[in-house]
Amino acid sequence: MQVGLIGLGKMGYNLSLNLMDHKHEVVAFDIDSEAVAKLSNMGAEGASSIEELVSKLEAPRKIWMMVPAGVITENVLSELKGLLEPGDLVIDGGNSNYKESVKRGKEMKEQGVHFFDVGTSGGMEGARSGACTMIGGDKEVFASIEQLFIDICVENGYLYAGETGSGHYLKMVHNGVEYGMMQAIAEGFEVLEKSPFDFDYEQVARVWNNGSVIRSWLMELTQNAFSKDSKLDGIKGVMHSSGEGKWTVEEALDLQTATPIIALSLMMRYRSLDEDTFSGKVVAALRNEFGGHAVVDKD
Amino acid sequence: MQVGLIGLGKMGYNLSLNLMDHKHEVVAFDIDSEAVAKLSNMGAEGASSIEELVSKLEAPRKIWMMVPAGVITENVLSELKGLLEPGDLVIDGGNSNYKESVKRGKEMKEQGVHFFDVGTSGGMEGARSGACTMIGGDKEVFASIEQLFIDICVENGYLYAGETGSGHYLKMVHNGVEYGMMQAIAEGFEVLEKSPFDFDYEQVARVWNNGSVIRSWLMELTQNAFSKDSKLDGIKGVMHSSGEGKWTVEEALDLQTATPIIALSLMMRYRSLDEDTFSGKVVAALRNEFGGHAVVDKD
Amino acid sequence: MQVGLIGLGKMGYNLSLNLMDHKHEVVAFDIDSEAVAKLSNMGAEGASSIEELVSKLEAPRKIWMMVPAGVITENVLSELKGLLEPGDLVIDGGNSNYKESVKRGKEMKEQGVHFFDVGTSGGMEGARSGACTMIGGDKEVFASIEQLFIDICVENGYLYAGETGSGHYLKMVHNGVEYGMMQAIAEGFEVLEKSPFDFDYEQVARVWNNGSVIRSWLMELTQNAFSKDSKLDGIKGVMHSSGEGKWTVEEALDLQTATPIIALSLMMRYRSLDEDTFSGKVVAALRNEFGGHAVVDKD
Amino acid sequence: MQVGLIGLGKMGYNLSLNLMDHKHEVVAFDIDSEAVAKLSNMGAEGASSIEELVSKLEAPRKIWMMVPAGVITENVLSELKGLLEPGDLVIDGGNSNYKESVKRGKEMKEQGVHFFDVGTSGGMEGARSGACTMIGGDKEVFASIEQLFIDICVENGYLYAGETGSGHYLKMVHNGVEYGMMQAIAEGFEVLEKSPFDFDYEQVARVWNNGSVIRSWLMELTQNAFSKDSKLDGIKGVMHSSGEGKWTVEEALDLQTATPIIALSLMMRYRSLDEDTFSGKVVAALRNEFGGHAVVDKD
């Protein structure tokens, strides 16, 4: 199948190679012309603009966007709108907010263009050689592109999830669960690190990966990480986050659902961004006020 | 190797079969004589008392206890103390508190008996055909029983963790992590359940198990559970707990470690045991007091 | 001072009486004409429409809205826009989202109308005889209405907080803190209720109100509540919430601020709305899957 | 009444002055002889040892201990045991664990000595001029010392709570609630500090103290603290804790009670003790493993 691929970052580049491995024809564009050139060397057809990319695709066109969520996705879609024809099809494979995807799907539909929101998991490695995808959009139209997902995903690794928005919704919640699982693992190792015993963390992760209830890909990655830096001495515990954990919590609030684990996983990440906290100062000052407890002065 | 197995519950019975599959000779005792008879039919030698079991073992004896933590473990060990000789060896494969194991290890040592605390994970299935074990005790003595763990565990599925207590410590923290991971998964599905979309939970668990970042044995079990009852309509959301999640939180408090995910996972289980809460009543009454907000009267 | 009061609910009605106690002239409107009639009997001038209310006020008009946040506030402001003249002044005393207030302030300003967002605390009793208000808007214009706040608030009970939006922002955060304080108190009493001792909750609240570190108005209300129903047997622990606790959490997320107490206070309220949870079912099903632990069947 | 006061720290010294203000006769001992000398100058009778203190008291003796919980309390009680006679009475006014108090009460009783566990709140200021006390012990014997509590407490500021242990139990839970309320206030100010507005924190605390739902002594102390250091620039947000918040959480766990607010208040204190966290490193390393997200290297 011929696919127009917009966005050759870590995910998009690997996905393109994956598509080509399966004999799909990729026409690729990225604002970074070097990335386009690099992929051309691997067998893709390069395009120097979105307009050129569209012109090189046969109708009905199939365009897969793999660009950052938010403004850039909005801009690319806005440019595509002026170029596409009824019957064309756009896949947003990025991490867009599902509410945006619902809105975009409606707008596209008015123009006769099919829109699919596709959540993609599995990291760079997955994009390259076997991803996991969650797909929202028109069920009947989906049949026309299902082969793409059969090819680029691991076995059983794609799901037509339902109407437009459901793909990104599932990916959003997937990431919320991911935050919780990561923090659970991390807290476990923090207890071990402060424990009276002298554990070999890599070996702990290794044994937990073989036969235990908590065996998981995240635990395998934990094992990998410790194999490279046995006590993670080289890095700081600063935990950044992208939008989806936050969206999951906001969605939970909108649905009046208690999700303490996902919420706290996110908040501990926020906490890690600050060396000191104003709330800590307030509590310390209060303890001093009522109990005369010493405060720690700033140097 | 000849092994005396005390305790033929779900875990101990399966473990015995596993040992016998690997040509180990099992002498078994349980207060339930039917369980003993059943295992005898499978090739084990039965014993009608702990005393008989000890007498049937050749010195130096190897005894594997698979009995409930707490009082029963204490009683069995107390009886064994009067029967064992220097050089004998006892494995506590149950879910004992590591502090107890440290204490017991010391007491046994005074008698010349080797004590190993072994945390076992993987459920009944694991006990039967490939467990995951975390082992604390004397390193040099461990060599004399290592073959047992090579045989009953999955590949790479056992770890000599360190001195006495470290095995049960690892298992304790393992369960804390398990609580957090389970609650993370559960919260994700609760958001899906309240979402505006109509997801097929079994299919969601299936796709999350194939290529995604959160693929894990727990997610496979989630898929299994939904395959049997697609919306879990048949059961109540009452979440019981055994001791180890609680011990992990208590240990974290002792170590002054923040483990919000593990703590909240446990507390949401406690919350699920009550249909109504006194704290809820207090908040409802307060809202009524200051704002005149209606309370929900009890029928 | 002449004030147009729109909205004679629990808060607005009491506020009107409070204003009249201090010799202010109130022109009042509510969609409930009986409320208007009732207040007229107390000395206010009634109006049968917003248009009539505006026409009865001398320019520059001072209008105080005390209506539900959201759609109704929006509608009233929209109607006012067509009726007011440059120099007029509108106070939104409701619980509007501060982001809305910032937007509305800008729109009003374009029309030459002064807009003040006023967060009001203290409940009905406060509105009647001494409120607490947090005020956002133009500082210089504020001088022209400061006397109103001097009169209706308790001593030291009003604050010009800053530019437009800051009043509702402070009230939002105030409510977030309130949620946390209420849940802290409630959890304390739940521990007492499950404790091995037989405490008299009213007496506990009483002693905690006299000389202790946690003495507070909320604790006084707790004492009141227990004085009426010593074990709160008559009510259910269903904890409803209005928008501001949720907005505080959402704001905290936007600011990447860890607010576990405020977030969990809200989430425990959500939890109280459900008799059973889907997350609980998932955890119960998982425990059954790996450990054969019994689930609680639905009747 | 004649009272033997053991322990002249911040609380005990102030309590002694308070007792003497009410014409009670104080015989005082502290290991710091200067503190004894200082109090003697204020009218107390000094003792240079516990033995001397006991000998100076008329039977039946009334001894009030105001010493640190744990080992020191244990040692003082142990020494007293050898000195006291049936009919004597001991008050433990410190922050002992209620379980210890239950045990001590039983031991004392065997010796014919009455034991009262008294939780004291209100800080140093309260001890000096009007405390809040929660009292456990024999109800009939309590009558013989009630006047002491009438005198040293604020009006309505003492409660006979029930049998031995209930006084310290109430104080324990009181502190748990205190932790939650403090953290709630602190989080509110942290949101304000990160907000787009430029709030005057002292003024905010002032207005919240006058007429609002969250007015409280803790908010007054917050106002005091900000009046001295308007942005708390001089101190670090390191939040220490004594035992009682932790005991409340442990008790809640034992009672299978969900207390997320109290638990998280404590855990955020623990978090504040560490500049960096191992859990943070694990999460950061995992993000790097699956997504290639950059980690923050240690300098």
Side-chain angles (χ1 to χ4, degrees):
Chain A
M1 208 177 294
Q2 191 197 41
V3 178
L5 209 306
I6 299 176
L8 299 177
K10 285 179 290 190
M11 295 296 286
Y13 186 82
N14 280 326
L15 180 63
S16 299
L17 295 179
N18 191 345
L19 282 164
M20 292 190 291
D21 281 351
H22 292 87
K23 314 296 171 200
H24 297 289
E25 185 189 332
V26 172
V27 182
F29 168 72
D30 193 284
I31 43 165
D32 174 6
S33 56
E34 281 186 43
V36 177
K38 199 173 152 203
L39 195 69
S40 297
N41 287 336
M42 307 296 287
E45 180 164 6
S48 59
S49 68
I50 291 179
E51 193 171 356
E52 188 186 335
L53 177 135
V54 171
S55 72
K56 285 185 169 177
L57 296 170
E58 290 161 36
R61 298 170 186 85
K62 281 149 197 84
I63 294 178
W64 197 311
M65 294 166 54
M66 215 66 185
V67 302
V71 178
I72 297 182
T73 294
E74 193 63 36
N75 289 348
V76 169
L77 277 167
S78 162
E79 187 169 351
L80 281 175
K81 245 187 243 180
L83 300 168
L84 297 183
E85 295 169 310
D88 287 348
L89 182 156
V90 174
I91 293 168
D92 177 5
N95 278 330
S96 296
N97 187 305
Y98 84 94
K99 291 178 184 171
E100 295 293 318
S101 300
V102 170
K103 213 180 60 193
R104 288 164 185 161
K106 272 187 198 147
E107 288 167 10
M108 288 287 186
K109 198 172 191 174
E110 286 166 15
Q111 211 190 327
V113 175
H114 307 294
F115 181 78
F116 287 87
D117 55 296
V118 173
T120 311
S121 184
M124 296 175 294
E125 189 187 311
R128 180 64 190 87
S129 53
C132 169
T133 56
M134 300 143 246
I135 306 147
D138 191 283
K139 192 172 189 173
E140 286 171 34
V141 180
F142 175 64
S144 71
I145 51 168
E146 185 160 11
Q147 190 61 45
L148 293 175
F149 296 95
I150 295 174
D151 289 342
I152 62 148
C153 295
V154 295
E155 203 182 332
N156 280 316
Y158 73 92
L159 175 67
Y160 170 76
E163 54 187 301
T164 309
S166 63
H168 281 147
Y169 196 96
L170 263 194
K171 178 62 190 338
M172 172 185 79
V173 174
H174 164 281
N175 280 29
V177 172
E178 177 191 299
Y179 278 43
M181 290 174 78
M182 286 168 77
Q183 180 70 17
I185 292 170
E187 290 181 3
F189 279 96
E190 180 156 328
V191 172
L192 296 186
E193 200 251 354
K194 292 191 173 167
S195 81
F197 298 102
D198 181 29
F199 292 110
D200 178 328
Y201 308 131
E202 181 190 354
Q203 290 305 310
V204 170
R206 188 262 302 159
V207 77
W208 283 353
N209 264 322
N210 289 286
S212 100
V213 173
I214 58 177
R215 62 189 187 257
S216 53
W217 194 52
L218 282 165
M219 193 61 81
E220 289 174 40
L221 297 179
T222 306
Q223 187 180 344
N224 286 354
F226 282 125
S227 75
K228 295 171 194 164
D229 182 358
S230 65
K231 292 174 187 299
L232 302 180
D233 281 331
I235 64 171
K236 280 195 170 176
V238 175
M239 301 178 271
H240 291 288
S241 53
S242 49
E244 286 161 312
K246 178 170 179 270
W247 295 337
T248 308
V249 179
E250 289 171 341
E251 180 72 10
L253 296 178
D254 284 343
L255 298 172
Q256 303 206 315
T257 304
T259 54
I261 267 53
I262 300 177
L264 263 296
S265 298
L266 180 63
M267 287 191 164
M268 293 314 279
R269 291 196 180 189
Y270 291 160
R271 175 62 186 82
S272 79
L273 305 179
D274 296 322
E275 299 228 337
D276 200 358
T277 66
F278 198 66
S279 53
K281 291 176 176 216
V282 172
V283 170
L286 282 173
R287 295 187 78 239
N288 179 258
E289 285 291 326
F290 69 71
H293 301 291
V295 294
V296 180
D297 291 327
K298 233 167 155 181
D299 327 308
Chain B
M1 208 177 293
Q2 192 196 40
V3 178
L5 210 307
I6 299 176
L8 300 176
K10 286 179 290 191
M11 294 296 286
Y13 186 83
N14 281 325
L15 179 64
S16 299
L17 295 178
N18 191 345
L19 283 164
M20 292 191 290
D21 281 351
H22 292 88
K23 315 296 171 200
H24 297 289
E25 185 188 332
V26 172
V27 182
F29 168 72
D30 192 285
I31 43 166
D32 174 6
S33 57
E34 281 187 43
V36 177
K38 198 173 153 203
L39 194 68
S40 297
N41 287 335
M42 306 297 287
E45 180 164 5
S48 59
S49 69
I50 291 178
E51 193 171 356
E52 189 187 335
L53 176 135
V54 171
S55 73
K56 285 186 168 176
L57 295 171
E58 293 160 34
R61 298 169 187 84
K62 279 146 199 85
I63 294 178
W64 196 311
M65 295 166 52
M66 214 67 184
V67 303
V71 178
I72 297 181
T73 293
E74 193 62 35
N75 290 348
V76 170
L77 278 168
S78 162
E79 188 170 351
L80 282 175
K81 246 187 241 180
L83 301 167
L84 296 184
E85 296 169 310
D88 287 349
L89 183 154
V90 174
I91 293 168
D92 177 4
N95 279 328
S96 296
N97 187 306
Y98 85 94
K99 291 178 184 172
E100 295 294 318
S101 300
V102 169
K103 211 179 62 193
R104 288 164 185 161
K106 272 186 199 148
E107 289 167 9
M108 288 286 185
K109 197 171 191 174
E110 287 167 13
Q111 212 189 328
V113 174
H114 307 294
F115 181 78
F116 287 87
D117 54 295
V118 174
T120 312
S121 184
M124 296 176 294
E125 189 189 310
R128 180 65 191 86
S129 52
C132 169
T133 56
M134 299 145 247
I135 307 147
D138 190 283
K139 192 172 188 174
E140 285 171 33
V141 180
F142 175 65
S144 71
I145 52 168
E146 185 161 10
Q147 189 61 46
L148 292 175
F149 296 95
I150 293 174
D151 289 343
I152 62 148
C153 295
V154 295
E155 203 183 331
N156 281 316
Y158 72 93
L159 175 68
Y160 171 76
E163 53 187 300
T164 309
S166 62
H168 281 147
Y169 196 96
L170 263 195
K171 178 64 190 336
M172 172 185 80
V173 174
H174 165 281
N175 280 29
V177 173
E178 177 191 301
Y179 277 43
M181 289 174 79
M182 286 168 76
Q183 180 70 17
I185 291 170
E187 290 181 4
F189 279 96
E190 181 156 327
V191 171
L192 295 186
E193 199 251 353
K194 292 192 173 167
S195 81
F197 298 101
D198 182 29
F199 293 109
D200 178 328
Y201 308 130
E202 181 190 354
Q203 290 306 309
V204 169
R206 189 263 300 158
V207 77
W208 284 352
N209 264 321
N210 290 285
S212 100
V213 172
I214 58 177
R215 62 188 187 256
S216 53
W217 194 52
L218 283 165
M219 193 62 80
E220 288 174 40
L221 297 178
T222 306
Q223 187 180 345
N224 286 354
F226 282 124
S227 75
K228 297 170 192 164
D229 183 355
S230 65
K231 292 175 187 298
L232 301 179
D233 281 332
I235 65 171
K236 279 196 171 176
V238 176
M239 301 178 271
H240 291 289
S241 52
S242 49
E244 287 161 312
K246 178 169 179 271
W247 295 338
T248 308
V249 178
E250 289 171 340
E251 179 73 10
L253 295 178
D254 284 342
L255 299 172
Q256 302 206 316
T257 304
T259 54
I261 267 52
I262 300 177
L264 264 296
S265 298
L266 180 63
M267 288 191 162
M268 294 313 280
R269 291 196 180 190
Y270 291 159
R271 175 62 187 83
S272 80
L273 305 178
D274 296 322
E275 299 228 337
D276 201 357
T277 67
F278 199 65
S279 52
K281 291 176 177 218
V282 172
V283 169
L286 282 174
R287 294 186 79 239
N288 180 259
E289 285 291 327
F290 68 71
H293 302 290
V295 294
V296 179
D297 290 328
K298 235 170 152 175
D299 328 310
Chain C
M1 207 176 295
Q2 191 196 41
V3 178
L5 209 307
I6 299 176
L8 300 176
K10 286 179 292 192
M11 293 297 285
Y13 186 83
N14 280 325
L15 180 64
S16 299
L17 296 178
N18 191 345
L19 282 164
M20 291 191 292
D21 281 351
H22 291 88
K23 314 296 172 202
H24 297 289
E25 184 187 332
V26 172
V27 182
F29 168 71
D30 193 285
I31 44 165
D32 174 7
S33 56
E34 282 186 43
V36 176
K38 200 172 152 202
L39 194 68
S40 297
N41 287 337
M42 305 298 287
E45 178 163 6
S48 59
S49 69
I50 291 179
E51 193 172 355
E52 188 186 333
L53 177 137
V54 171
S55 72
K56 284 186 169 177
L57 294 171
E58 293 160 34
R61 299 169 185 85
K62 281 148 199 81
I63 295 178
W64 195 311
M65 295 166 53
M66 214 66 182
V67 302
V71 177
I72 297 181
T73 293
E74 193 61 37
N75 290 348
V76 170
L77 278 168
S78 163
E79 188 169 352
L80 281 175
K81 244 186 244 183
L83 300 167
L84 296 183
E85 295 169 312
D88 288 348
L89 181 155
V90 174
I91 293 167
D92 176 4
N95 278 330
S96 296
N97 186 307
Y98 85 94
K99 290 177 184 173
E100 295 294 318
S101 299
V102 168
K103 212 180 61 192
R104 287 164 184 161
K106 271 186 201 149
E107 289 167 8
M108 288 287 187
K109 196 170 193 176
E110 285 167 15
Q111 211 189 328
V113 174
H114 307 294
F115 180 78
F116 288 86
D117 55 296
V118 173
T120 310
S121 184
M124 295 176 294
E125 189 188 308
R128 179 64 190 88
S129 52
C132 168
T133 56
M134 300 144 246
I135 306 146
D138 189 284
K139 192 171 189 176
E140 285 171 34
V141 180
F142 175 65
S144 71
I145 53 169
E146 186 162 9
Q147 190 59 46
L148 292 175
F149 295 96
I150 293 174
D151 290 343
I152 62 147
C153 294
V154 296
E155 203 181 333
N156 279 318
Y158 74 91
L159 174 68
Y160 170 76
E163 53 187 302
T164 310
S166 62
H168 281 147
Y169 196 97
L170 263 194
K171 178 63 188 341
M172 172 185 80
V173 174
H174 164 281
N175 280 30
V177 173
E178 177 190 302
Y179 277 42
M181 290 174 78
M182 287 168 77
Q183 180 69 16
I185 291 170
E187 289 181 4
F189 279 97
E190 180 156 328
V191 172
L192 296 185
E193 200 250 354
K194 292 192 173 168
S195 81
F197 298 101
D198 182 28
F199 292 109
D200 179 327
Y201 308 130
E202 181 190 353
Q203 290 305 309
V204 170
R206 188 263 300 158
V207 77
W208 283 354
N209 266 321
N210 290 284
S212 100
V213 172
I214 58 176
R215 62 190 188 254
S216 54
W217 194 51
L218 282 165
M219 193 62 80
E220 288 174 40
L221 297 179
T222 307
Q223 188 180 344
N224 287 354
F226 282 125
S227 75
K228 296 169 193 165
D229 183 356
S230 65
K231 291 176 187 298
L232 301 181
D233 281 332
I235 65 171
K236 279 196 170 175
V238 176
M239 302 179 270
H240 290 288
S241 53
S242 48
E244 285 161 313
K246 179 170 178 271
W247 295 338
T248 308
V249 179
E250 290 171 340
E251 180 72 10
L253 295 179
D254 284 342
L255 298 172
Q256 302 206 315
T257 304
T259 55
I261 268 52
I262 301 178
L264 264 296
S265 299
L266 180 63
M267 288 191 163
M268 294 313 280
R269 292 197 179 189
Y270 291 158
R271 176 61 186 81
S272 80
L273 305 179
D274 295 322
E275 301 228 335
D276 200 359
T277 66
F278 198 66
S279 51
K281 292 175 176 217
V282 172
V283 170
L286 282 174
R287 293 186 80 238
N288 179 259
E289 286 290 326
F290 68 71
H293 302 291
V295 295
V296 180
D297 290 327
K298 238 172 151 174
D299 328 310
Chain D
M1 207 176 295
Q2 191 196 40
V3 178
L5 209 306
I6 299 176
L8 300 177
K10 286 179 291 192
M11 294 297 286
Y13 187 83
N14 281 325
L15 179 64
S16 299
L17 295 179
N18 190 345
L19 281 164
M20 292 191 291
D21 282 349
H22 292 88
K23 314 295 171 203
H24 297 290
E25 184 187 332
V26 172
V27 183
F29 167 71
D30 193 285
I31 43 165
D32 174 7
S33 57
E34 281 187 43
V36 177
K38 200 173 151 201
L39 194 69
S40 297
N41 287 338
M42 306 297 287
E45 179 163 7
S48 59
S49 68
I50 291 180
E51 193 172 356
E52 190 187 332
L53 178 136
V54 171
S55 73
K56 285 186 168 176
L57 295 171
E58 292 160 35
R61 298 169 187 84
K62 281 149 198 82
I63 295 179
W64 196 311
M65 295 166 53
M66 214 68 182
V67 302
V71 177
I72 297 181
T73 293
E74 193 61 37
N75 290 348
V76 170
L77 278 168
S78 163
E79 189 171 349
L80 281 174
K81 244 186 243 181
L83 301 168
L84 296 183
E85 296 170 310
D88 288 349
L89 181 155
V90 175
I91 294 168
D92 177 6
N95 278 329
S96 296
N97 187 306
Y98 85 95
K99 291 178 184 172
E100 296 293 318
S101 299
V102 169
K103 212 180 59 191
R104 288 164 184 160
K106 272 187 199 146
E107 289 167 8
M108 289 286 188
K109 197 169 191 177
E110 287 167 13
Q111 211 190 329
V113 175
H114 306 293
F115 181 77
F116 287 86
D117 55 295
V118 173
T120 312
S121 183
M124 296 176 293
E125 189 187 308
R128 179 66 191 86
S129 52
C132 168
T133 57
M134 300 144 246
I135 306 146
D138 189 284
K139 190 170 189 173
E140 286 171 33
V141 180
F142 175 66
S144 71
I145 52 168
E146 186 161 10
Q147 190 60 46
L148 292 175
F149 295 95
I150 294 174
D151 290 343
I152 62 148
C153 295
V154 295
E155 202 180 336
N156 280 317
Y158 73 93
L159 174 67
Y160 171 77
E163 54 186 301
T164 309
S166 63
H168 281 148
Y169 196 96
L170 262 195
K171 178 64 189 340
M172 172 185 79
V173 175
H174 164 280
N175 280 30
V177 173
E178 177 191 299
Y179 278 42
M181 289 174 79
M182 287 168 77
Q183 181 71 17
I185 292 170
E187 289 181 4
F189 279 97
E190 180 156 328
V191 172
L192 295 186
E193 199 249 354
K194 291 192 174 168
S195 81
F197 298 102
D198 182 28
F199 292 110
D200 178 329
Y201 308 131
E202 181 190 353
Q203 290 305 310
V204 169
R206 188 263 300 159
V207 77
W208 282 354
N209 264 323
N210 289 284
S212 100
V213 172
I214 58 177
R215 62 190 186 255
S216 54
W217 194 51
L218 282 166
M219 194 61 82
E220 289 174 41
L221 296 179
T222 307
Q223 187 180 343
N224 287 354
F226 282 125
S227 75
K228 296 169 193 165
D229 183 356
S230 65
K231 291 173 188 300
L232 301 180
D233 281 331
I235 64 173
K236 279 196 170 175
V238 176
M239 302 179 271
H240 290 289
S241 54
S242 48
E244 285 160 315
K246 178 169 178 271
W247 295 338
T248 307
V249 178
E250 289 170 341
E251 180 72 10
L253 295 178
D254 283 344
L255 298 172
Q256 301 206 316
T257 304
T259 54
I261 267 52
I262 300 178
L264 264 296
S265 298
L266 180 63
M267 288 192 163
M268 293 313 279
R269 291 197 180 189
Y270 291 160
R271 175 62 186 82
S272 79
L273 306 179
D274 295 322
E275 299 228 337
D276 200 358
T277 66
F278 198 66
S279 53
K281 291 175 176 218
V282 172
V283 169
L286 282 174
R287 295 187 78 239
N288 179 258
E289 285 292 326
F290 69 69
H293 302 290
V295 294
V296 179
D297 290 327
K298 238 174 150 172
D299 330 310

